[in-house]
């Protein structure tokens, strides 16, 4: 069984990195890249074994007791989809960090925190117990607070403090929700909770818990009324950290947890779906409006994340098989493209010494290894055919029309046009030489940084191929089936025990 | 019943303190109050009237014990709360070094 290695490898790396803190930096770099590479390979193997397993579910018992009493790690189609995405991004971020983090002292502290965060994210995805999910979420979140403040400049400390306060309030709401849920169902196991709720039917306690979880996980996912911290935190953090936060952290802690709890455990009611649609539309519009007029490229990318997360939540709320497919394809595309954008923004800042849009010019001519990845990832997020983002948005718009929400389809299309509009400004300065720029002195490029960006750009370019029937059947259809099955998750888990 | 209600009142006091106060130390204290309220709520959920401690021993009939699981959960939550609290206080010290103030309304360099 390979499931425990998703926790053992990053946790082990974090502690061993602290032990070899005094050793050569290149040893730490190699160790980090080796760990993330093995994690990605294990994720691919797990994908194969999930597809081969009966009911497409793997269960690993950590104690002699059986669930719902004992703890277990559970991987199904949705978890393994997220695991592959997370560990793919983490691999390229680790390669990038080995070059980029040289400008900070104490690189080993970065690696230790980075792998603790990765362990937390992987733990959220394999947890089968709602309190375990909370603990792993806190591990990931606390490491993220530290990583945002890694440079200890005034901006970073302020962003980290605001993120930490908002995140702690959200965690308290989630823990209170878990307390009410335990008092109602007398179990913390997700499948057990699902069975108890199915037996008791919809009650008022469930409504209270839904509201508490929507507030808590909505804040972690940066949905519209709770999005304020994201722009500060994601724009102030070091570039590889921004890539991890924007690319995978908010999706694992926010979107995955919402999907798992509201679809697999509570069974999405019509009201919850309507709330998700409303939150999604609000995020899409607010994120796109705020992204206009930003002069800092990282701030612009951060607001764009709020807008794109809105698409995913909107598609989850529409809740048809086609909409789920669109949501998952958009999660994958946005993870790799937005991580790549943040990585290139870090490279631009490193080479040109600025993040202000009006001071950057001619990136593609001066540094093609930074310019072309930035261009491809921006095209993918804007939804320019034939990039991956185009297909994701097209599927979401079709799903809205098909399920009888033409107005939502119209809004999604309009926000797509707005996305193209606000990416116009940063991409102009990447593509063309604008203004007088003789003052810009370019620093020397770094091989590790360029390798990471170019190889991730290749992944972004070939990303549309996940929609090909063969790959789609293995990679995405299992996740769609999990979302469609809803509360029969409990029966599948209890079926896997026997 | 009134105990559960008072526990949620404590939670609300913490929330009010965290979102309304201007001094960042008071905000951190507010977060702490919220965490304590949730931990207390967990213990209250596990409480049974006249219940004895949940220790399984030979020759003892198990009658009316308190629920041990919320106690374990509260212990874990206390540890997590400690980590968050340490980090917030460390950040507050560094922020004071940089900005020379604890007033959250004056710590707004990112707003521009």
């Amino acid at each position: 069984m390979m499931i425990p290695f998703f926790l053992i490898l990053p946790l082990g790396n974090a502690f061993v990195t602290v032990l070899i803190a005094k050793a050569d930096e290149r040893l730490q770099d190699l160790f980090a890249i080796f760990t993330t590479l093995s994690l990605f390979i294990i994720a691919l193997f797990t994908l194969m074994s999930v597809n081969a397993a009966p009911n497409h579910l793997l269960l690993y018992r950590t104690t002699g007791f059986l669930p719902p009493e004992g703890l277990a790690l559970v991987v199904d189609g949705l978890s393994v989809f997220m695991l592959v995405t997370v560990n793919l991004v983490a691999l390229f971020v680790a390669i990038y960090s080995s070059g980029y983090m040289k400008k900070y002292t104490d690189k080993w502290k970065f690696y230790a925190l980075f792998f603790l965060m990765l362990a937390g994210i992987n733990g959220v995805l394999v947890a089968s117990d709602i309190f375990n999910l909370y603990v792993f979420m806190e591990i990931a979140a606390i490491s993220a607070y530290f990583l945002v403040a890694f440079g200890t400049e005034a901006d970073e400390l302020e962003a980290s403090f605001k993120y930490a306060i908002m995140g702690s309030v959200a965690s308290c709401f989630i823990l209170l929700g878990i307390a009410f849920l335990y008092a109602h169902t007398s179990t913390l196991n997700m499948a057990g909770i699902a069975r108890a709720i199915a037996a008791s039917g919809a009650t008022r306690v469930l409504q209270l818990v839904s509201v508490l979880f929507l507030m808590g996980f909505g804040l972690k996912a940066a949905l519209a009324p709770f999005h304020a911290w994201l722009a500060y935190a994601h724009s102030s953090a070091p570039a590889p950290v921004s890539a991890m936060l924007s690319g995978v952290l908010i999706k694992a802690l926010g979107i995955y947890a919402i999907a798992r709890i509201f679809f697999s455990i509570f069974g999405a009611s019509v009201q919850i779906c309507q709330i998700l649609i409303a939150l999604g539309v609000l995020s899409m519009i607010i994120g796109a409006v705020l992204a206009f007029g930003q002069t800092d490229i990282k701030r612009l990318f951060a607001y764009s994340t709020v807008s794109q997360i809105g698409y995913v939540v909107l598609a989850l709320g529409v809740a048809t098989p086609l909409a789920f497919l669109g949501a998952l394809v958009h999660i994958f595309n946005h993870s790799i493209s937005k991580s790549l954008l943040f990585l290139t923004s870090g490279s631009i800042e490193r080479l040109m010494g600025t993040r202000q849009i009006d001071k950057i010019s001619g990136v593609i001519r001066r540094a093609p290894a930074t310019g072309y990845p930035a261009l491809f990832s921006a095209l993918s997020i804007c939804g320019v055919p034939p990039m991956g983002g185009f297909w994701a948005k097209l599927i979401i718009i079709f799903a809205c029309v098909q399920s009888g929400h033409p107005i939502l389809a119209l809004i999604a299309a309009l926000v797509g046009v707005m996305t193209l509009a606000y990416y116009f400004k940063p991409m102009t300065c990447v593509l063309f030489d604008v203004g007088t720029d003789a003052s810009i002195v370019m620093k020397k490029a770094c091989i590790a940084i360029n390798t990471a960006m170019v190889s991730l750009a290749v992944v972004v370019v070939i990303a549309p191929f996940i929609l090909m029937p063969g790959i789609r059947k293995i990679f995405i259809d299992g996740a769609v089936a999990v979302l469609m099955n809803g509360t029969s998750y409990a029966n599948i888990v209890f079926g896997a025990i026997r | 019943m009134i105990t559960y209600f008072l526990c949620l009142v404590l939670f609300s006091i913490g929330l009010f303190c965290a979102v309304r106060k201007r001094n960042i130390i008071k905000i951190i204290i507010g977060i702490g109050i919220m965490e304590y309220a949730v931990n207390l709520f967990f213990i209250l959920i596990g409480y049974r009237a006249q219940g004895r401690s949940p220790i399984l021993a030979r020759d003892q009939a198990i009658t009316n014990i308190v629920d041990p699981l919320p106690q374990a959960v509260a212990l874990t939550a206390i540890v997590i709360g400690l980590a968050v609290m340490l980090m917030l206080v460390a950040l507050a010290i560094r922020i004071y070094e940089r900005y020379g103030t604890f007033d959250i309304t004056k710590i707004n360099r990112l707003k521009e």
Side-chain angles (χ1 to χ4, degrees):
Chain A
M1 290 299 268
M2 288 172 292
I3 300 172
F5 285 97
F6 287 116
L7 303 174
I8 294 169
L9 281 178
L11 278 179
N13 183 303
F15 291 114
V16 174
T17 304
V18 175
L19 292 181
I20 59 168
K22 295 279 185 289
D24 193 354
E25 254 185 21
R26 271 171 294 181
L27 184 68
Q28 296 166 14
D29 295 340
L30 277 179
F31 191 40
I33 293 168
F34 173 73
T35 309
T36 44
L37 184 65
S38 355
L39 276 172
F40 178 58
I41 293 168
I42 291 173
L44 287 181
F45 272 114
T46 313
L47 181 66
M48 294 303 152
S49 24
V50 166
N51 276 297
N55 284 323
H56 301 300
L57 184 123
L58 297 178
L59 188 137
Y60 179 85
R61 278 189 284 152
T62 52
T63 57
F65 295 103
L66 284 170
E69 285 77 27
L71 292 178
L73 305 177
V74 170
V75 172
D76 61 6
L78 183 61
S79 315
V80 80
F81 169 80
M82 292 297 294
L83 280 171
V84 170
T85 311
V86 166
N87 292 302
L88 176 70
V89 172
L91 170 63
F92 291 110
V93 171
I95 299 173
Y96 183 92
S97 311
S98 65
Y100 185 83
M101 297 308 286
K102 272 183 196 143
K103 71 174 186 177
Y104 296 97
T105 52
D106 290 344
K107 206 180 190 180
W108 58 275
K109 284 182 187 158
F110 168 79
Y111 279 130
L113 288 168
F114 176 82
F115 279 101
L116 275 181
M117 183 168 81
L118 194 57
I121 296 173
N122 283 341
V124 167
L125 299 176
V126 298
S128 76
D129 177 294
I130 199 160
F131 188 69
N132 270 13
L133 189 142
Y134 171 80
V135 171
F136 284 123
M137 190 183 75
E138 283 298 278
I139 293 175
I142 293 172
S143 325
Y145 307 151
F146 272 113
L147 283 169
V148 169
F150 196 76
T152 62
E153 294 299 321
D155 289 0
E156 292 163 346
L157 291 170
E158 182 190 340
S160 172
F161 187 77
K162 288 180 175 168
Y163 179 24
I165 292 293
M166 303 273 253
S168 310
V169 172
S171 302
C172 284
F173 277 121
I174 294 169
L175 195 55
L176 194 64
I178 293 173
F180 277 111
L181 205 53
Y182 177 73
H184 182 55
T185 61
S186 305
T187 178
L188 288 171
N189 185 278
M190 290 195 204
I193 293 172
R195 202 164 55 173
I197 285 174
S200 70
T203 54
R204 283 198 191 153
V205 178
L206 206 59
Q207 291 175 1
L208 177 66
V209 174
S210 300
V211 171
L212 288 170
F213 280 167
L214 264 183
M215 276 197 285
F217 291 116
L219 205 146
K220 299 272 181 195
L223 292 177
F226 319 111
H227 66 280
W229 59 271
L230 184 135
Y232 299 155
H234 290 200
S235 60
S236 302
V241 178
S242 309
M244 277 304 275
L245 294 185
S246 226
V248 296
L249 186 88
I250 57 170
K251 296 188 185 69
L253 264 54
I255 304 294
Y256 170 82
I258 286 176
R260 178 62 82 203
I261 288 173
F262 286 108
F263 287 91
S264 296
I265 301 180
F266 291 177
S269 59
V270 179
Q271 290 95 330
I272 291 291
C273 285
Q274 280 169 348
I275 291 171
L276 286 180
I277 289 177
L279 288 176
V281 169
L282 206 60
S283 309
M284 277 158 62
I285 295 172
I286 287 182
V289 169
L290 287 174
F292 278 106
Q294 297 297 329
T295 52
D296 182 326
I297 44 173
K298 279 180 90 173
R299 189 68 74 86
L300 192 151
F301 296 157
Y303 279 119
S304 156
T305 301
V306 176
S307 179
Q308 304 303 318
I309 283 296
Y311 274 100
V312 177
V313 176
L314 165 71
L316 284 180
V318 171
T320 59
L322 195 63
F324 287 142
L325 177 70
L328 294 164
V329 174
H330 201 60
I331 286 177
F332 182 75
N333 264 308
H334 185 257
S335 291
I336 52 178
S337 326
K338 188 50 72 65
S339 318
L340 182 55
L341 262 186
F342 271 112
L343 295 183
T344 53
S345 76
S347 177
I348 290 173
E349 188 186 2
R350 183 178 164 279
L351 294 171
M352 303 192 164
T354 181
R355 291 197 324 229
Q356 298 299 314
I357 287 176
D358 44 4
K359 288 186 186 146
I360 303 166
S361 87
V363 178
I364 216 158
R365 179 176 58 81
R366 290 152 185 269
T370 305
Y372 283 105
L375 179 65
F376 284 129
S377 50
L379 286 178
S380 178
I381 288 182
C382 296
V384 175
M387 305 298 285
F390 166 72
W391 300 108
K393 286 182 185 171
L394 195 68
I395 294 169
I396 292 174
I397 291 170
F398 273 164
C400 291
V401 174
Q402 191 196 38
S403 63
H405 300 94
I407 297 172
L408 293 180
L410 188 67
I411 294 172
L414 281 178
V415 174
V417 175
M418 283 166 80
T419 313
L420 197 58
Y422 65 71
Y423 269 104
F424 203 68
K425 212 162 101 185
M427 282 310 118
T428 315
C429 67
V430 167
L431 278 174
F432 305 110
D433 291 311
V434 282
T436 55
D437 52 356
S439 58
I440 296 178
V441 183
M442 297 288 286
K443 286 218 188 88
K444 204 164 160 281
C446 166
I447 294 173
I449 292 179
N450 286 350
T451 316
M453 286 189 303
V454 171
S455 39
L456 191 52
V458 171
V459 178
V460 169
V461 170
I462 60 171
F465 286 103
I466 61 166
L467 282 168
M468 274 172 52
I471 304 173
R472 197 188 110 181
K473 189 169 180 304
I474 299 170
F475 190 43
I476 307 179
D477 281 359
V480 174
V482 169
L483 289 171
M484 281 311 292
N485 285 342
T487 44
S488 56
Y489 169 77
N491 296 334
I492 297 173
V493 170
F494 286 122
I497 294 168
R498 268 173 238 113
Chain B
M1 193 63 205
I2 190 90
T3 331
Y4 297 90
F5 184 70
L6 283 176
C7 183
L8 293 179
V9 170
L10 186 64
F11 184 84
S12 313
I13 291 171
L15 183 62
F16 177 82
C17 187
V19 297
R20 281 302 289 162
K21 290 292 171 188
R22 291 171 61 175
N23 188 317
I24 58 177
I25 299 296
K26 288 183 183 165
I27 293 174
I28 294 171
I29 292 173
I31 298 281
I33 293 174
M34 284 172 81
E35 277 162 6
Y36 295 145
V38 177
N39 292 342
L40 182 61
F41 194 71
F42 264 112
I43 299 299
L44 285 176
I45 288 170
Y47 176 73
R48 301 284 180 275
Q50 307 292 323
R52 55 176 279 269
S53 56
I55 298 170
L56 184 62
R58 202 171 287 171
D59 326 321
Q60 279 199 347
I62 299 175
T63 49
N64 200 26
I65 54 171
V66 297
D67 189 350
L69 197 138
Q71 300 182 359
V73 167
L75 267 180
T76 317
I78 287 169
V79 175
I80 294 173
L82 178 74
V84 172
M85 192 62 56
L86 269 175
M87 196 214 55
L88 286 174
V89 173
L91 275 178
I93 294 171
R94 295 303 282 267
I95 285 177
Y96 188 76
E97 283 172 6
R98 295 276 170 179
Y99 288 85
T101 176
F102 278 132
D103 190 340
I104 194 81
T105 55
K106 291 190 180 122
I107 305 171
N108 57 357
R109 207 173 284 187
L110 291 171
K111 278 269 165 62
E112 278 96 58

